[in-house]
Amino acid sequence: MKTKTQLIKLQNTLLEQNIPFVSYRLPDKAEIITLIQHHSQPREIDIQNISTKNQGFIVSPFDESLGDKTFFLQPDCVFFSDDIDDIYIQELSGNHRYLSLEKQESEKIQTTTTKEYIQNVNDAVRAMRENQFRKVVLSKVRKESFPIDFQPEKFFLKLCDRYPRAMVYLLQMPGVGCWAGATPEPLITANMDVAQTVSLAGTQAYTGAVIDSYKWSDKELEEQAIVTGFVENTLKEQGVCEFTQTGPTNEQAANLIHLKTAFEFPARYLNKKLGAFLKAMHPTPSVGGLPKAEAKSFILDHENHRRAYYSGFLGPVNINERTDIFVNLRCMQVFEKEFVLYSGAGITTSSVAEKEWDETDNKMLTMLNVIRS
């Protein structure tokens, strides 16, 4: 209990003082790690230049062409779950020399209507039947006011308790804003010896049934095959000539079930090439589509909202001799009095627009259920 109280005090101080930080907890781990950069600002970077020798936390948007940039937080201080220093918290709360962050406004963000989303899905199906692309992921947003007693730091701990198999985070950075999430999808993870990535697609609501009992439609199997093929081809293009592939298997992620195929390969392939891997993998067909360029063009032409850092990627680089970069799914953008939820669904030629709308609603419940609890 004391550990949680100290973490809440630390995060509350960082949020109030507008100090850049991230707290995160990796899947199936108990330890919460907080990285703080208070003597300078996180720097804008070119993804291509990131390597496993860098140390910090990367946050990258879905698409940089709209003005959102990739930032890298290089911590002045790292706290683990059980070693948060009370004196340090007092120094942070009493010192106003730190560079403050601009508070972002939510006025320009409008909730996606059912009519708008269904029209976009039907347009996408029509385009695919004309062979313009094979798959596209269409997203929507939902803006709501916070409950009066909402506190981001307590919400973060609730996410950790509710979703032990997700990468849970709370962050605040200049140019990025304040975000929180519980994402199930690793983009690239690696320790000293082994690197991993996955293809994750297909979605059903979790009903409490045995995980292996969930069956999949042709549409969902097709979607999974598209993503898996992309990951396999990308690994080969990056020179990975030895990898193992397992799946697809059913995987529970919060209130949802997905199809997952796992890839594992020697971590040495990432040495000096982490940035190249990230650039080649992002956006995967699980958040963009295939072919990448055509699908992204359709998304930018049809979605009326800016995705910003939703469906981008984020995670620690070379912290505790691990790199764990995740696709930013099941997330929300935090404003002073409001929050914005983001979710998307993979569209293929056999998609039914109304069902895709329901799927995106189910994905938003990952955050909403915790906000309302």
Side-chain angles (χ1 to χ4, degrees):
M1 180 60 72
K2 181 181 177 182
T3 297
K4 289 185 177 181
T5 301
Q6 288 294 90
L7 179 62
I8 288 171
K9 284 173 62 178
L10 175 63
Q11 291 175 336
N12 180 260
T13 299
L14 294 166
L15 289 165
E16 285 190 351
Q17 297 291 340
N18 297 329
I19 297 169
F21 82 96
V22 58
S23 292
Y24 68 92
R25 196 239 35 221
L26 295 175
D28 300 315
K29 304 291 183 183
E31 188 166 59
I32 295 170
I33 300 174
T34 300
L35 311 178
I36 304 168
Q37 183 173 353
H38 57 82
H39 292 310
S40 61
Q41 294 280 46
R43 60 189 174 91
E44 185 181 319
I45 61 165
D46 183 341
I47 297 169
Q48 196 78 31
N49 295 331
I50 283 290
S51 80
T52 51
K53 292 185 178 180
N54 296 114
Q55 187 173 54
F57 195 96
I58 191 171
V59 184
S60 189
F62 171 70
D63 183 68
E64 291 191 330
S65 69
L66 300 179
D68 301 300
K69 301 301 181 184
T70 299
F71 289 93
F72 195 70
L73 183 150
Q74 294 175 285
D76 301 309
C77 188
V78 179
F79 281 120
F80 299 94
S81 297
D82 57 356
D83 68 352
I84 297 174
D85 187 344
D86 226 356
I87 296 175
Y88 185 80
I89 296 175
Q90 291 173 9
E91 290 176 353
L92 287 177
S93 61
N95 193 326
H96 299 280
R97 291 178 299 157
Y98 305 124
L99 300 169
S100 61
L101 310 179
E102 290 184 9
K103 290 293 185 184
Q104 296 184 320
E105 302 297 331
S106 61
E107 281 80 0
K108 295 181 180 179
I109 303 174
Q110 300 297 322
T111 296
T112 308
T113 65
T114 309
K115 180 180 179 181
E116 176 190 336
Y117 190 79
I118 287 175
Q119 181 64 57
N120 284 347
V121 173
N122 289 333
D123 287 349
V125 171
R126 193 176 305 113
M128 283 182 284
R129 287 175 178 166
E130 295 172 356
N131 296 318
Q132 293 182 29
F133 43 84
R134 292 177 62 198
K135 176 193 173 180
V136 67
V137 177
L138 293 176
S139 70
K140 70 181 186 186
V141 297
R142 176 172 174 172
K143 183 168 70 172
E144 289 192 17
S145 297
F146 278 123
I148 294 173
D149 59 349
F150 180 83
Q151 293 177 276
E153 55 273 29
K154 291 185 177 179
F155 173 74
F156 168 77
L157 288 174
K158 285 183 180 180
L159 285 179
C160 289
D161 290 339
R162 186 76 66 93
Y163 304 125
R165 303 189 68 184
M167 196 280 262
V168 179
Y169 73 88
L170 172 65
L171 68 82
Q172 175 176 258
M173 287 193 209
V176 177
C178 184
W179 290 72
T183 174
E185 184 170 346
L187 184 62
I188 290 285
T189 67
N191 57 26
M192 297 291 288
D193 302 313
V194 178
Q196 296 175 315
T197 187
V198 304
S199 69
L200 199 68
T203 302
Q204 295 183 51
Y206 174 62
T207 63
V210 176
I211 301 300
D212 291 340
S213 67
Y214 291 84
K215 305 301 180 186
W216 300 92
S217 67
D218 289 342
K219 180 262 179 185
E220 291 159 328
L221 292 170
E222 177 190 10
E223 187 183 350
Q224 171 65 10
I226 289 171
V227 181
T228 299
F230 166 80
V231 174
E232 184 176 355
N233 289 335
T234 301
L235 289 176
K236 292 176 180 177
E237 289 168 1
Q238 292 299 309
V240 180
C241 54
E242 46 183 313
F243 61 85
T244 59
Q245 179 176 333
T246 307
T249 57
N250 292 355
E251 176 85 359
Q252 183 182 354
N255 57 313
L256 304 170
I257 302 292
H258 301 291
L259 273 170
K260 183 180 86 169
T261 301
F263 296 83
E264 190 172 286
F265 56 96
R268 67 176 183 275
Y269 286 105
L270 288 181
N271 292 343
K272 299 181 180 179
K273 290 190 63 175
L274 177 60
F277 267 84
L278 293 172
K279 206 167 184 68
M281 291 284 285
H282 177 71
T284 70
S286 65
V287 297
L290 204 68
K292 286 170 68 171
E294 288 81 354
K296 184 187 282 189
S297 177
F298 185 90
I299 290 167
L300 297 180
D301 286 343
H302 285 75
E303 291 184 354
N304 289 330
H305 57 276
R306 210 174 85 209
R307 290 191 182 188
Y309 293 88
Y310 162 70
S311 68
F313 59 84
L314 77 176
V317 177
N318 192 22
I319 300 293
N320 277 0
E321 298 185 330
R322 288 196 57 86
T323 293
D324 295 275
I325 297 174
F326 283 72
V327 182
N328 193 22
L329 304 175
R330 316 294 183 270
C331 63
M332 72 176 188
Q333 193 170 7
V334 179
F335 297 94
E336 187 173 354
K337 296 181 180 179
E338 296 175 307
F339 62 93
V340 177
L341 299 173
Y342 296 76
S343 68
I347 312 303
T348 67
T349 53
S350 53
S351 289
V352 177
E354 290 76 11
K355 290 184 177 180
E356 304 299 348
W357 174 266
D358 291 342
E359 177 180 319
T360 53
D361 269 355
N362 285 333
K363 288 175 176 176
M364 285 183 174
L365 289 175
T366 301
M367 296 285 106
L368 276 174
N369 286 342
V370 180
I371 292 171
R372 294 168 177 169
S373 65

